[in-house]
Amino acid sequence: MAQVSTRGHAGLRSPRRARALAVAGAVAAALAVWAVGEPLLGHDLAVQQKGQEPRDLGAAAIGVFALAPSLLGWALLAALERVTPLAARIWTAIALTLLAASFLPVIGVQASGGTKTVLALTHLAVGAVLIPVFWRTATSRSADPGSKR
């Protein structure tokens, strides 16, 4: 499926606006999963890695852990858009690979099954918001043959 360049469009169709809303939505989705998992269902999101003290992952930690990769994903997509007409495909493959890899620390930490489930769901929530929006808003150099980015 060919991507159509959306550069130059204003308002709600702006890729920048859509991506910013996706980042905010990803953080909100992760915090919503945390709110259901910890305060409502009572899963204490405490994790421990070998040789370290247990850490309680509160709302602030969940928000930061959702925001940072979201912004890095946006930066990667923007960089790819400048160098390849396959930015959407490459970014999506990288994003899906990193989403899958993000479960490794969840599996590797010492925590209850409920805690691991909530953490895994936060990862899925972030990916479920970001990946489709970033893919949809990715521009293609082939759609704009005169572009010399």
Side-chain angles (χ1 to χ4, degrees):
M1 176 179 197
Q3 292 292 312
V4 177
S5 177
T6 55
R7 289 199 188 274
H9 290 196
L12 292 175
R13 292 187 173 264
S14 163
R16 181 177 291 152
R17 180 173 170 82
R19 291 175 190 176
L21 289 172
V23 168
V27 172
L31 289 171
V33 171
W34 171 84
V36 170
E38 186 167 288
L40 289 178
L41 297 178
H43 296 291
D44 185 25
L45 296 186
V47 297
Q48 183 176 9
Q49 294 178 327
K50 284 187 176 183
Q52 295 182 2
E53 293 293 317
R55 289 189 302 173
D56 185 22
L57 301 178
I62 296 298
V64 169
F65 287 131
L67 180 61
S70 298
L71 293 175
L72 289 172
W74 186 352
L76 175 61
L77 178 56
L80 287 169
E81 287 174 325
R82 286 177 171 75
V83 298
T84 179
L86 301 174
R89 289 182 184 172
I90 293 168
W91 183 88
T92 303
I94 292 169
L96 291 171
T97 301
L98 290 175
L99 176 60
S102 76
F103 293 107
L104 294 175
V106 173
I107 294 167
V109 297
Q110 295 177 4
S112 70
T115 294
K116 288 184 177 190
T117 300
V118 171
L119 291 175
L121 289 173
T122 62
H123 292 217
L124 288 174
V126 170
V129 173
L130 287 181
I131 293 171
V133 174
F134 283 14
W135 178 82
R136 182 181 55 80
T137 61
T139 58
S140 172
R141 289 180 3 162
S142 62
D144 187 7
S147 175
K148 301 214 186 225
R149 288 184 233 180

PDB file of all heavy atoms in Angstrom, residues 112-141:
ATOM      1  N   SER A 112       5.126 -10.738  40.994  1.00  0.00           N
ATOM      2  CA  SER A 112       3.963 -11.624  40.975  1.00  0.00           C
ATOM      3  C   SER A 112       3.426 -11.743  39.547  1.00  0.00           C
ATOM      4  O   SER A 112       3.714 -10.899  38.691  1.00  0.00           O
ATOM      5  CB  SER A 112       2.861 -11.074  41.888  1.00  0.00           C
ATOM      6  OG  SER A 112       2.310  -9.900  41.322  1.00  0.00           O
ATOM      7  N   GLY A 113       2.633 -12.758  39.324  1.00  0.00           N
ATOM      8  CA  GLY A 113       2.024 -12.947  38.009  1.00  0.00           C
ATOM      9  C   GLY A 113       1.129 -11.783  37.635  1.00  0.00           C
ATOM     10  O   GLY A 113       1.107 -11.348  36.482  1.00  0.00           O
ATOM     11  N   GLY A 114       0.402 -11.253  38.616  1.00  0.00           N
ATOM     12  CA  GLY A 114      -0.456 -10.102  38.354  1.00  0.00           C
ATOM     13  C   GLY A 114       0.336  -8.879  37.961  1.00  0.00           C
ATOM     14  O   GLY A 114      -0.044  -8.137  37.047  1.00  0.00           O
ATOM     15  N   THR A 115       1.451  -8.657  38.629  1.00  0.00           N
ATOM     16  CA  THR A 115       2.310  -7.522  38.310  1.00  0.00           C
ATOM     17  C   THR A 115       2.865  -7.657  36.900  1.00  0.00           C
ATOM     18  O   THR A 115       2.846  -6.707  36.119  1.00  0.00           O
ATOM     19  CB  THR A 115       3.463  -7.418  39.332  1.00  0.00           C
ATOM     20  OG1 THR A 115       2.894  -7.105  40.599  1.00  0.00           O
ATOM     21  CG2 THR A 115       4.482  -6.366  38.941  1.00  0.00           C
ATOM     22  N   LYS A 116       3.349  -8.845  36.566  1.00  0.00           N
ATOM     23  CA  LYS A 116       3.887  -9.066  35.224  1.00  0.00           C
ATOM     24  C   LYS A 116       2.809  -8.879  34.159  1.00  0.00           C
ATOM     25  O   LYS A 116       3.075  -8.326  33.092  1.00  0.00           O
ATOM     26  CB  LYS A 116       4.506 -10.457  35.121  1.00  0.00           C
ATOM     27  CG  LYS A 116       5.817 -10.576  35.872  1.00  0.00           C
ATOM     28  CD  LYS A 116       6.440 -11.939  35.674  1.00  0.00           C
ATOM     29  CE  LYS A 116       7.780 -12.020  36.367  1.00  0.00           C
ATOM     30  NZ  LYS A 116       8.530 -13.228  36.014  1.00  0.00           N
ATOM     31  N   THR A 117       1.606  -9.298  34.461  1.00  0.00           N
ATOM     32  CA  THR A 117       0.500  -9.129  33.509  1.00  0.00           C
ATOM     33  C   THR A 117       0.202  -7.658  33.286  1.00  0.00           C
ATOM     34  O   THR A 117       0.049  -7.204  32.151  1.00  0.00           O
ATOM     35  CB  THR A 117      -0.763  -9.864  34.008  1.00  0.00           C
ATOM     36  OG1 THR A 117      -0.452 -11.256  34.128  1.00  0.00           O
ATOM     37  CG2 THR A 117      -1.925  -9.672  33.065  1.00  0.00           C
ATOM     38  N   VAL A 118       0.125  -6.903  34.370  1.00  0.00           N
ATOM     39  CA  VAL A 118      -0.145  -5.458  34.248  1.00  0.00           C
ATOM     40  C   VAL A 118       0.972  -4.786  33.464  1.00  0.00           C
ATOM     41  O   VAL A 118       0.707  -3.966  32.569  1.00  0.00           O
ATOM     42  CB  VAL A 118      -0.339  -4.806  35.634  1.00  0.00           C
ATOM     43  CG1 VAL A 118      -0.402  -3.286  35.511  1.00  0.00           C
ATOM     44  CG2 VAL A 118      -1.594  -5.340  36.306  1.00  0.00           C
ATOM     45  N   LEU A 119       2.217  -5.120  33.758  1.00  0.00           N
ATOM     46  CA  LEU A 119       3.338  -4.514  33.034  1.00  0.00           C
ATOM     47  C   LEU A 119       3.299  -4.881  31.549  1.00  0.00           C
ATOM     48  O   LEU A 119       3.524  -4.021  30.686  1.00  0.00           O
ATOM     49  CB  LEU A 119       4.663  -4.931  33.654  1.00  0.00           C
ATOM     50  CG  LEU A 119       4.938  -4.368  35.045  1.00  0.00           C
ATOM     51  CD1 LEU A 119       6.232  -4.953  35.608  1.00  0.00           C
ATOM     52  CD2 LEU A 119       4.987  -2.853  35.027  1.00  0.00           C
ATOM     53  N   ALA A 120       3.010  -6.127  31.246  1.00  0.00           N
ATOM     54  CA  ALA A 120       2.912  -6.548  29.844  1.00  0.00           C
ATOM     55  C   ALA A 120       1.780  -5.801  29.137  1.00  0.00           C
ATOM     56  O   ALA A 120       1.924  -5.378  27.986  1.00  0.00           O
ATOM     57  CB  ALA A 120       2.700  -8.052  29.759  1.00  0.00           C
ATOM     58  N   LEU A 121       0.672  -5.619  29.829  1.00  0.00           N
ATOM     59  CA  LEU A 121      -0.442  -4.894  29.232  1.00  0.00           C
ATOM     60  C   LEU A 121      -0.114  -3.421  28.997  1.00  0.00           C
ATOM     61  O   LEU A 121      -0.602  -2.826  28.031  1.00  0.00           O
ATOM     62  CB  LEU A 121      -1.699  -5.039  30.090  1.00  0.00           C
ATOM     63  CG  LEU A 121      -2.336  -6.434  30.069  1.00  0.00           C
ATOM     64  CD1 LEU A 121      -3.476  -6.516  31.085  1.00  0.00           C
ATOM     65  CD2 LEU A 121      -2.824  -6.786  28.672  1.00  0.00           C
ATOM     66  N   THR A 122       0.725  -2.834  29.849  1.00  0.00           N
ATOM     67  CA  THR A 122       1.130  -1.447  29.596  1.00  0.00           C
ATOM     68  C   THR A 122       1.957  -1.359  28.317  1.00  0.00           C
ATOM     69  O   THR A 122       1.788  -0.435  27.521  1.00  0.00           O
ATOM     70  CB  THR A 122       1.922  -0.825  30.770  1.00  0.00           C
ATOM     71  OG1 THR A 122       3.116  -1.552  30.985  1.00  0.00           O
ATOM     72  CG2 THR A 122       1.100  -0.747  32.030  1.00  0.00           C
ATOM     73  N   HIS A 123       2.817  -2.345  28.100  1.00  0.00           N
ATOM     74  CA  HIS A 123       3.609  -2.372  26.869  1.00  0.00           C
ATOM     75  C   HIS A 123       2.695  -2.497  25.655  1.00  0.00           C
ATOM     76  O   HIS A 123       2.876  -1.791  24.655  1.00  0.00           O
ATOM     77  CB  HIS A 123       4.600  -3.543  26.890  1.00  0.00           C
ATOM     78  CG  HIS A 123       5.689  -3.391  27.897  1.00  0.00           C
ATOM     79  ND1 HIS A 123       6.982  -3.810  27.658  1.00  0.00           N
ATOM     80  CD2 HIS A 123       5.704  -2.893  29.150  1.00  0.00           C
ATOM     81  CE1 HIS A 123       7.739  -3.565  28.707  1.00  0.00           C
ATOM     82  NE2 HIS A 123       6.971  -3.000  29.639  1.00  0.00           N
ATOM     83  N   LEU A 124       1.735  -3.396  25.737  1.00  0.00           N
ATOM     84  CA  LEU A 124       0.793  -3.580  24.630  1.00  0.00           C
ATOM     85  C   LEU A 124      -0.040  -2.329  24.385  1.00  0.00           C
ATOM     86  O   LEU A 124      -0.315  -1.966  23.241  1.00  0.00           O
ATOM     87  CB  LEU A 124      -0.124  -4.770  24.902  1.00  0.00           C
ATOM     88  CG  LEU A 124       0.515  -6.143  24.803  1.00  0.00           C
ATOM     89  CD1 LEU A 124      -0.457  -7.228  25.237  1.00  0.00           C
ATOM     90  CD2 LEU A 124       1.009  -6.400  23.378  1.00  0.00           C
ATOM     91  N   ALA A 125      -0.446  -1.659  25.455  1.00  0.00           N
ATOM     92  CA  ALA A 125      -1.257  -0.449  25.315  1.00  0.00           C
ATOM     93  C   ALA A 125      -0.488   0.645  24.576  1.00  0.00           C
ATOM     94  O   ALA A 125      -1.026   1.294  23.675  1.00  0.00           O
ATOM     95  CB  ALA A 125      -1.704   0.045  26.687  1.00  0.00           C
ATOM     96  N   VAL A 126       0.770   0.829  24.940  1.00  0.00           N
ATOM     97  CA  VAL A 126       1.593   1.843  24.270  1.00  0.00           C
ATOM     98  C   VAL A 126       1.747   1.491  22.792  1.00  0.00           C
ATOM     99  O   VAL A 126       1.545   2.332  21.914  1.00  0.00           O
ATOM    100  CB  VAL A 126       2.964   1.997  24.960  1.00  0.00           C
ATOM    101  CG1 VAL A 126       3.914   2.855  24.130  1.00  0.00           C
ATOM    102  CG2 VAL A 126       2.788   2.586  26.356  1.00  0.00           C
ATOM    103  N   GLY A 127       2.079   0.253  22.508  1.00  0.00           N
ATOM    104  CA  GLY A 127       2.241  -0.177  21.122  1.00  0.00           C
ATOM    105  C   GLY A 127       0.951  -0.083  20.322  1.00  0.00           C
ATOM    106  O   GLY A 127       0.956   0.309  19.148  1.00  0.00           O
ATOM    107  N   ALA A 128      -0.161  -0.418  20.947  1.00  0.00           N
ATOM    108  CA  ALA A 128      -1.457  -0.393  20.257  1.00  0.00           C
ATOM    109  C   ALA A 128      -1.866   1.024  19.865  1.00  0.00           C
ATOM    110  O   ALA A 128      -2.585   1.213  18.889  1.00  0.00           O
ATOM    111  CB  ALA A 128      -2.531  -1.024  21.135  1.00  0.00           C
ATOM    112  N   VAL A 129      -1.408   2.005  20.608  1.00  0.00           N
ATOM    113  CA  VAL A 129      -1.716   3.395  20.263  1.00  0.00           C
ATOM    114  C   VAL A 129      -0.707   3.932  19.249  1.00  0.00           C
ATOM    115  O   VAL A 129      -1.081   4.492  18.218  1.00  0.00           O
ATOM    116  CB  VAL A 129      -1.736   4.288  21.525  1.00  0.00           C
ATOM    117  CG1 VAL A 129      -1.873   5.750  21.152  1.00  0.00           C
ATOM    118  CG2 VAL A 129      -2.872   3.867  22.457  1.00  0.00           C
ATOM    119  N   LEU A 130       0.573   3.751  19.528  1.00  0.00           N
ATOM    120  CA  LEU A 130       1.609   4.377  18.701  1.00  0.00           C
ATOM    121  C   LEU A 130       1.771   3.764  17.321  1.00  0.00           C
ATOM    122  O   LEU A 130       1.854   4.490  16.329  1.00  0.00           O
ATOM    123  CB  LEU A 130       2.965   4.289  19.398  1.00  0.00           C
ATOM    124  CG  LEU A 130       3.205   5.182  20.582  1.00  0.00           C
ATOM    125  CD1 LEU A 130       4.618   4.958  21.108  1.00  0.00           C
ATOM    126  CD2 LEU A 130       3.003   6.631  20.234  1.00  0.00           C
ATOM    127  N   ILE A 131       1.850   2.467  17.251  1.00  0.00           N
ATOM    128  CA  ILE A 131       2.218   1.824  15.985  1.00  0.00           C
ATOM    129  C   ILE A 131       1.247   2.166  14.864  1.00  0.00           C
ATOM    130  O   ILE A 131       1.677   2.591  13.790  1.00  0.00           O
ATOM    131  CB  ILE A 131       2.438   0.310  16.178  1.00  0.00           C
ATOM    132  CG1 ILE A 131       3.687   0.095  17.053  1.00  0.00           C
ATOM    133  CG2 ILE A 131       2.585  -0.400  14.830  1.00  0.00           C
ATOM    134  CD1 ILE A 131       3.914  -1.335  17.501  1.00  0.00           C
ATOM    135  N   PRO A 132      -0.055   2.025  15.050  1.00  0.00           N
ATOM    136  CA  PRO A 132      -0.942   2.368  13.931  1.00  0.00           C
ATOM    137  C   PRO A 132      -0.923   3.858  13.553  1.00  0.00           C
ATOM    138  O   PRO A 132      -0.960   4.194  12.376  1.00  0.00           O
ATOM    139  CB  PRO A 132      -2.331   1.956  14.397  1.00  0.00           C
ATOM    140  CG  PRO A 132      -2.197   1.363  15.728  1.00  0.00           C
ATOM    141  CD  PRO A 132      -0.775   1.459  16.167  1.00  0.00           C
ATOM    142  N   VAL A 133      -0.840   4.724  14.542  1.00  0.00           N
ATOM    143  CA  VAL A 133      -0.847   6.160  14.234  1.00  0.00           C
ATOM    144  C   VAL A 133       0.447   6.568  13.540  1.00  0.00           C
ATOM    145  O   VAL A 133       0.416   7.272  12.520  1.00  0.00           O
ATOM    146  CB  VAL A 133      -1.079   7.011  15.502  1.00  0.00           C
ATOM    147  CG1 VAL A 133      -0.926   8.500  15.196  1.00  0.00           C
ATOM    148  CG2 VAL A 133      -2.459   6.733  16.084  1.00  0.00           C
ATOM    149  N   PHE A 134       1.571   6.115  14.050  1.00  0.00           N
ATOM    150  CA  PHE A 134       2.836   6.474  13.419  1.00  0.00           C
ATOM    151  C   PHE A 134       2.915   5.877  12.010  1.00  0.00           C
ATOM    152  O   PHE A 134       3.414   6.508  11.094  1.00  0.00           O
ATOM    153  CB  PHE A 134       4.022   6.025  14.274  1.00  0.00           C
ATOM    154  CG  PHE A 134       4.298   6.908  15.468  1.00  0.00           C
ATOM    155  CD1 PHE A 134       3.390   7.849  15.922  1.00  0.00           C
ATOM    156  CD2 PHE A 134       5.481   6.783  16.151  1.00  0.00           C
ATOM    157  CE1 PHE A 134       3.661   8.657  17.015  1.00  0.00           C
ATOM    158  CE2 PHE A 134       5.776   7.587  17.248  1.00  0.00           C
ATOM    159  CZ  PHE A 134       4.858   8.529  17.681  1.00  0.00           C
ATOM    160  N   TRP A 135       2.449   4.671  11.833  1.00  0.00           N
ATOM    161  CA  TRP A 135       2.463   4.040  10.507  1.00  0.00           C
ATOM    162  C   TRP A 135       1.583   4.839   9.544  1.00  0.00           C
ATOM    163  O   TRP A 135       1.977   5.125   8.423  1.00  0.00           O
ATOM    164  CB  TRP A 135       1.982   2.587  10.595  1.00  0.00           C
ATOM    165  CG  TRP A 135       1.946   1.939   9.250  1.00  0.00           C
ATOM    166  CD1 TRP A 135       2.986   1.377   8.583  1.00  0.00           C
ATOM    167  CD2 TRP A 135       0.810   1.820   8.395  1.00  0.00           C
ATOM    168  NE1 TRP A 135       2.570   0.901   7.367  1.00  0.00           N
ATOM    169  CE2 TRP A 135       1.234   1.162   7.230  1.00  0.00           C
ATOM    170  CE3 TRP A 135      -0.521   2.192   8.507  1.00  0.00           C
ATOM    171  CZ2 TRP A 135       0.370   0.884   6.174  1.00  0.00           C
ATOM    172  CZ3 TRP A 135      -1.382   1.907   7.459  1.00  0.00           C
ATOM    173  CH2 TRP A 135      -0.933   1.261   6.313  1.00  0.00           C
ATOM    174  N   ARG A 136       0.391   5.218  10.009  1.00  0.00           N
ATOM    175  CA  ARG A 136      -0.547   5.943   9.153  1.00  0.00           C
ATOM    176  C   ARG A 136      -0.023   7.322   8.769  1.00  0.00           C
ATOM    177  O   ARG A 136      -0.267   7.800   7.667  1.00  0.00           O
ATOM    178  CB  ARG A 136      -1.899   6.083   9.862  1.00  0.00           C
ATOM    179  CG  ARG A 136      -2.965   6.782   9.040  1.00  0.00           C
ATOM    180  CD  ARG A 136      -4.276   6.933   9.785  1.00  0.00           C
ATOM    181  NE  ARG A 136      -4.158   7.610  11.067  1.00  0.00           N
ATOM    182  CZ  ARG A 136      -4.071   8.924  11.223  1.00  0.00           C
ATOM    183  NH1 ARG A 136      -4.078   9.717  10.185  1.00  0.00           N
ATOM    184  NH2 ARG A 136      -3.980   9.447  12.434  1.00  0.00           N
ATOM    185  N   THR A 137       0.710   7.952   9.653  1.00  0.00           N
ATOM    186  CA  THR A 137       1.188   9.312   9.387  1.00  0.00           C
ATOM    187  C   THR A 137       2.559   9.350   8.727  1.00  0.00           C
ATOM    188  O   THR A 137       3.050  10.444   8.410  1.00  0.00           O
ATOM    189  CB  THR A 137       1.243  10.141  10.689  1.00  0.00           C
ATOM    190  OG1 THR A 137       2.158   9.530  11.595  1.00  0.00           O
ATOM    191  CG2 THR A 137      -0.131  10.282  11.310  1.00  0.00           C
ATOM    192  N   ALA A 138       3.171   8.196   8.536  1.00  0.00           N
ATOM    193  CA  ALA A 138       4.498   8.171   7.913  1.00  0.00           C
ATOM    194  C   ALA A 138       4.400   8.670   6.485  1.00  0.00           C
ATOM    195  O   ALA A 138       3.499   8.304   5.737  1.00  0.00           O
ATOM    196  CB  ALA A 138       5.076   6.759   7.943  1.00  0.00           C
ATOM    197  N   THR A 139       5.328   9.517   6.124  1.00  0.00           N
ATOM    198  CA  THR A 139       5.357  10.056   4.770  1.00  0.00           C
ATOM    199  C   THR A 139       6.273   9.210   3.900  1.00  0.00           C
ATOM    200  O   THR A 139       7.141   8.502   4.392  1.00  0.00           O
ATOM    201  CB  THR A 139       5.846  11.510   4.769  1.00  0.00           C
ATOM    202  OG1 THR A 139       7.135  11.559   5.343  1.00  0.00           O
ATOM    203  CG2 THR A 139       4.889  12.408   5.516  1.00  0.00           C
ATOM    204  N   SER A 140       6.058   9.334   2.633  1.00  0.00           N
ATOM    205  CA  SER A 140       6.858   8.574   1.690  1.00  0.00           C
ATOM    206  C   SER A 140       7.494   9.528   0.692  1.00  0.00           C
ATOM    207  O   SER A 140       6.817  10.353   0.101  1.00  0.00           O
ATOM    208  CB  SER A 140       5.962   7.575   0.958  1.00  0.00           C
ATOM    209  OG  SER A 140       6.670   6.960  -0.081  1.00  0.00           O
ATOM    210  N   ARG A 141       8.784   9.382   0.516  1.00  0.00           N
ATOM    211  CA  ARG A 141       9.465  10.219  -0.471  1.00  0.00           C
ATOM    212  C   ARG A 141       8.970   9.911  -1.867  1.00  0.00           C
ATOM    213  O   ARG A 141       8.950  10.773  -2.713  1.00  0.00           O
ATOM    214  CB  ARG A 141      10.971  10.009  -0.392  1.00  0.00           C
ATOM    215  CG  ARG A 141      11.552  10.610   0.850  1.00  0.00           C
ATOM    216  CD  ARG A 141      13.006  10.457   0.995  1.00  0.00           C
ATOM    217  NE  ARG A 141      13.677   9.808  -0.118  1.00  0.00           N
ATOM    218  CZ  ARG A 141      14.959   9.884  -0.339  1.00  0.00           C
ATOM    219  NH1 ARG A 141      15.712  10.575   0.456  1.00  0.00           N
ATOM    220  NH2 ARG A 141      15.512   9.261  -1.348  1.00  0.00           N
TER     221      ARG A 141
END
